[in-house]
Amino acid sequence: MKKYSFILLIMLFGIMISCKESDRYSPGANDSTPPGTPQLVSWEPLYGGARIWYTLPADEDLLSIDAEYTNTKGEPVLFTSSFYLDSIDVLGFGDTQAHKVNLYGVDRAGNRSKPLIVEVTPLEPAVTRVLSTLTVKPGFSSFLIDWTNELQKVVNVYVHYKFNDKGTARDILSVFSSNAETDRKFITGLVLGPTDPIEIEVQVEDQYGNITAPQSFGSITLLEDIELPKNIIRMPEPNDSTITIANGTIVNTGVPAFFGNNLEGRNTKLIDGIIDRGDNLNFFHTAGRGRTGFSKDGNVPFNIIMDLGAYYQLSRVITVQRHTGGLENVSRGQYYRSENCGEFRLWVYNEITMDWDSISTQRTPIPSFTNELQWVRAGEAGDMAYFYPDDPQYTVRTRWFRYECLHCFDDNYSSTGANCMSELTLYGKKAD
């Protein structure tokens, strides 16, 4: 009996404590007495902000500590910290000037204490840090913008560019939002030549409304290339490790051609100019034996090898994935998923060294979309990759191209399940 009485006392004590703690959050309609003012202990600068330490006032009904300042637009910016904490982070400053922050104690009735005024000087904000790293480079019928955002804050990058399009002045603004540590964006679809300059200005904005002044990147001209004709491209037989160079010499490269004639798939579908839309079965398929066509040799890495039919200097390649999205063609299907090639390496055969030149190893980025139709549109448009992604230029003169599929998209580009593709389109210029 004593045991049960003791347990009952503990339960009653717990209920009393709980009720007392919940009273802190109960509205005090008749309470008009503000709590005490927090006392400053210290502060330290943050990027675009400051962290302020304080001593809490002793009021039993203290609910939170508020920090407030007025931004450059004359608007109040408010941050709140629980009464359990002894510090608060104040963010959103767009410069490295001194700023006054008001700290208040707030009770459960909503009463504010007298302010504690703290003057802080923040470190450089994200907007100017990002802008200082930003570079603009000309590409092929496009230009690319790179930046570093080591703080990984959400920023909007405004790209304002002007050019003359066959006598018509164009004035365009593109906006990219990102919080990636490093990012690269392309402005594409610009059919302009070396005599058509583009003027470019960029601004960076953060989530607090701070925006940099426009920074000019001057005038650039784009690089030109053409789509290689597919009707003269040929592919060797599966498991063929030889190529024939201009003088008729047959060279054994030691690299077997891939095997994609499994199930409904055929190698030739890769260069027929028709993309797979889920209901037309226009793709190649390795069925897990892509390296040579023999299961014992495995699937990846497999090598798509092409005789271009003439000599070119290559610039970029567009890959279109297999879809399998159903007859309606409105669902994502396999786009940016299993079986499609997500990581690859680009090669060209160099007849001077009589060997394959490894140009670059790349991953096709997986987009972030909110609906199925966006996935379909992106997949059907294909994914462009420059042979030299960091410094767009042409390859050496070559007649032989090699696309080495390394992994599919699954498991952070580590899965070996890549076994299909719909279309490859190459760009470059005719070699002298």
Side-chain angles (χ1 to χ4, degrees):
M1 187 66 181
K2 288 183 178 180
K3 177 181 178 182
Y4 293 112
S5 298
F6 179 70
I7 293 173
L8 183 59
L9 284 171
I10 291 176
M11 291 175 64
L12 289 171
F13 179 74
I15 292 171
M16 291 171 63
I17 293 297
S18 176
C19 290
K20 184 176 181 180
E21 183 66 18
S22 66
D23 285 345
R24 178 185 291 275
Y25 302 98
S26 301
N30 299 323
D31 181 6
S32 60
T33 304
T37 302
Q39 300 300 306
L40 178 66
V41 175
S42 63
W43 68 273
E44 71 172 6
L46 303 176
Y47 291 108
R51 179 169 296 154
I52 303 172
W53 281 271
Y54 47 79
T55 301
L56 293 167
D59 301 72
E60 291 186 358
D61 61 348
L62 182 71
L63 187 62
S64 66
I65 298 296
D66 284 359
E68 188 176 64
Y69 70 89
T70 302
N71 65 18
T72 55
K73 298 178 181 179
E75 303 166 336
V77 181
L78 177 67
F79 296 86
T80 298
S81 179
S82 164
F83 68 89
Y84 288 111
L85 304 176
D86 63 354
S87 67
I88 188 169
D89 286 355
V90 181
L91 304 171
F93 298 116
D95 53 42
T96 55
Q97 305 299 313
H99 296 268
K100 290 183 179 179
V101 179
N102 293 328
L103 259 62
Y104 303 91
V106 182
D107 65 18
R108 57 189 174 89
N111 298 310
R112 267 187 171 186
S113 71
K114 292 181 179 180
L116 166 66
I117 302 174
V118 183
E119 188 171 88
V120 300
T121 304
L123 301 175
E124 184 182 13
V127 288
T128 54
R129 292 179 71 84
V130 169
L131 186 62
S132 68
T133 68
L134 197 142
T135 60
V136 176
K137 294 179 181 178
F140 296 94
S141 300
S142 63
F143 63 91
L144 57 152
I145 305 161
D146 289 294
W147 66 82
T148 301
N149 181 5
E150 74 224 46
L151 304 178
Q152 297 185 45
K153 302 292 185 181
V154 176
V155 295
N156 297 319
V157 177
Y158 294 84
V159 184
H160 184 203
Y161 56 103
K162 302 177 183 179
F163 59 94
N164 189 290
D165 182 12
K166 299 179 177 63
T168 302
R170 303 292 186 189
D171 192 331
I172 301 175
L173 177 66
S174 294
V175 183
F176 303 101
S177 183
S178 170
N179 67 342
E181 186 173 0
T182 59
D183 212 338
R184 168 175 291 162
K185 300 297 182 184
F186 288 86
I187 305 291
T188 61
L190 301 172
V191 186
L192 301 171
T195 60
D196 303 312
I198 303 175
E199 296 178 14
I200 302 171
E201 283 187 346
V202 180
Q203 290 178 275
V204 181
E205 179 186 43
D206 65 17
Q207 59 186 319
Y208 302 102
N210 299 306
I211 188 166
T212 63
Q215 178 169 318
S216 172
F217 285 83
S219 180
I220 65 170
T221 55
L222 305 185
L223 303 172
E224 287 186 299
D225 59 5
I226 59 170
E227 180 180 334
L228 270 62
K230 294 182 178 182
N231 62 324
I232 62 173
I233 294 177
R234 299 290 181 268
M235 287 188 287
E237 293 297 320
N239 203 19
D240 187 353
S241 298
T242 65
I243 64 172
T244 304
I245 58 179
N247 59 10
T249 302
I250 297 176
V251 178
N252 189 327
T253 67
V255 179
F258 85 120
F259 186 78
N261 291 343
N262 277 295
L263 305 179
E264 306 93 346
R266 294 294 179 269
N267 288 2
T268 53
K269 300 293 186 181
L270 196 60
I271 52 172
D272 64 358
I274 304 171
I275 66 171
D276 177 60
R277 287 193 162 90
D279 57 358
N280 58 350
L281 303 178
N282 200 276
F283 53 83
F284 77 74
H285 201 295
T286 71
R289 52 195 182 108
R291 293 186 68 189
T292 63
F294 299 103
S295 298
K296 65 181 178 65
D297 294 327
N299 191 47
V300 295
F302 61 78
N303 292 281
I304 300 168
I305 299 176
M306 294 182 180
D307 175 356
L308 304 178
Y311 284 91
Y312 292 90
Q313 290 180 267
L314 301 178
S315 57
R316 54 191 170 120
V317 59
I318 293 180
T319 306
V320 179
Q321 304 165 47
R322 181 190 180 192
H323 184 201
T324 65
L327 298 179
E328 297 294 328
N329 198 34
V330 293
S331 63
R332 177 179 177 180
Q334 287 180 238
Y335 283 146
Y336 306 96
R337 282 178 170 164
S338 61
E339 299 191 31
N340 279 306
C341 184
E343 184 178 52
F344 56 92
R345 186 175 294 122
L346 301 177
W347 304 75
V348 297
Y349 193 77
N350 188 328
E351 289 188 17
I352 296 176
T353 63
M354 299 292 282
D355 201 358
W356 289 102
D357 284 353
S358 174
I359 307 299
S360 60
T361 301
Q362 303 183 48
R363 290 177 173 179
T364 300
I366 302 174
S368 298
F369 292 135
T370 56
N371 64 65
E372 295 287 294
L373 194 55
Q374 288 177 308
W375 290 105
V376 173
R377 287 173 176 169
E380 289 189 351
D383 295 281
M384 180 182 69
Y386 286 141
F387 277 77
Y388 296 95
D390 296 322
D391 184 21
Q393 57 181 290
Y394 300 101
T395 66
V396 298
R397 177 180 183 271
T398 188
R399 181 164 174 160
W400 290 90
F401 163 68
R402 174 176 154 206
Y403 184 108
E404 183 182 13
C405 179
L406 303 174
H407 296 98
C408 71
F409 290 93
D410 286 358
D411 303 320
N412 192 29
Y413 301 90
S414 66
S415 172
T416 59
N419 60 23
C420 56
M421 187 183 297
S422 176
E423 194 77 10
L424 274 179
T425 303
L426 286 161
Y427 289 80
K429 67 177 181 179
K430 201 75 178 287
D432 296 332

